[in-house]
Amino acid sequence: MSISAHAVAVAEVVAAPSSLLSREGVHDARRRLAGRVVQTPVVRSEELDRAAGARLWLKAENLQRGGSFKMRGALLALDRLVAAGSRGVVAQSTGNHAIAVALAAAQHGLPAVLVLPVDAAAAKVRRIKDIGAQVLQAGTTLAERIAVVEELKRTRGLDEIDPYQNPDVVAGQATATVDLLHQVQAADGHLDAMVLPVGGGSALAGACLATTGQDIDVYGAEPGAVPALSAALRAGGPVTVDAGPTIADGLRPDRIGRLPYDLAHDRVADVFTIEEGAIAEALRMVLVHARLVIEPAAATAVAGALRLAAGGRARDIGVLVSGGNVDTGLVASLLGHRAV
């Protein structure tokens, strides 16, 4: 079969049913992931609660396989592609989605090519190579990475696992929020709000799906240097922003995905744009008070939760601590900058 014919055949098989992007679809995704992902803990810290003036429920996905919640969506997407007879996969990412796709592909014995920016975090690049996947680095913008992915699809017949546009990925990411809700309920708690870090938008969209019909406000938190969701909400749709430098490398996509935007734009209560100093301070606070090593993308959500609490808008706040794939040198430098 030719590359083009194979691509059409796979596309026909992997087309996800619309029911996948519903609360019921998310619960089905959670059942399919049972026993395949880590049931990460929800961590509480009296010190953090006192600092926030609210109860923070930290979903510690930094302890997930692959070091982030991205493992969830990657596994579901690979399942569908393997069933369709995929010959290999390709994905673009700033890091964590690439790690997850590499791990999921290795589990199925499929080759994987991951396209990262030229200034991707060294720890993430090493992790992908250690798994045995191929890493290509291209430019610094989302458009540059997508161009490479499209070329690899055309020339090598690889099947793409997009980190934002793939319904299996979004449904998989949503299961982190579902798990958190169940864990909070088991502890006799009830969330008023959820705060998610926003890069391409899959975590936020997943949380919106998972909380459908519940009295839980959903908030996004993004670096002030890359305000892609804020810009999209003002424009009425995804737009490309001028991305500035940020320590939150996992939140560097300069454009939110169309699918996440469509799922979240009329559900998200607000978006916090977080300055670099506040991201660093949140990372230090979580390390010192909750004893969790997290990456700046996750700290961005924590900073958003602290801002939400300071405004008095919520008493019990769930936070997706999205990942822990961080260079030790960065952690050391942030800890040395100022004591908490």
Side-chain angles (χ1 to χ4, degrees), residues 173-204:
Q173 317 314 31
T175 64
T177 294
V178 176
D179 282 352
L180 170 60
L181 297 178
H182 279 274
Q183 289 166 289
V184 172
Q185 184 179 37
D188 295 322
H190 176 76
L191 296 183
D192 304 311
M194 279 282 304
V195 182
L196 296 300
V198 180
S202 64
L204 183 72

Side-chain angles (χ1 to χ4, degrees), residues 198 222-223 226-236 239 241 256 271-273:
V198 180
E222 61 188 1
V226 196
L229 177 57
S230 299
L233 292 172
R234 288 194 300 269
V239 293
V241 300
I256 191 169
V271 185
F272 300 108
T273 54

Side-chain angles (χ1 to χ4, degrees), residues 229-253:
L229 177 57
S230 299
L233 292 172
R234 288 194 300 269
V239 293
T240 300
V241 300
D242 292 327
T246 176
I247 58 172
D249 64 285
L251 305 182
R252 285 178 51 196

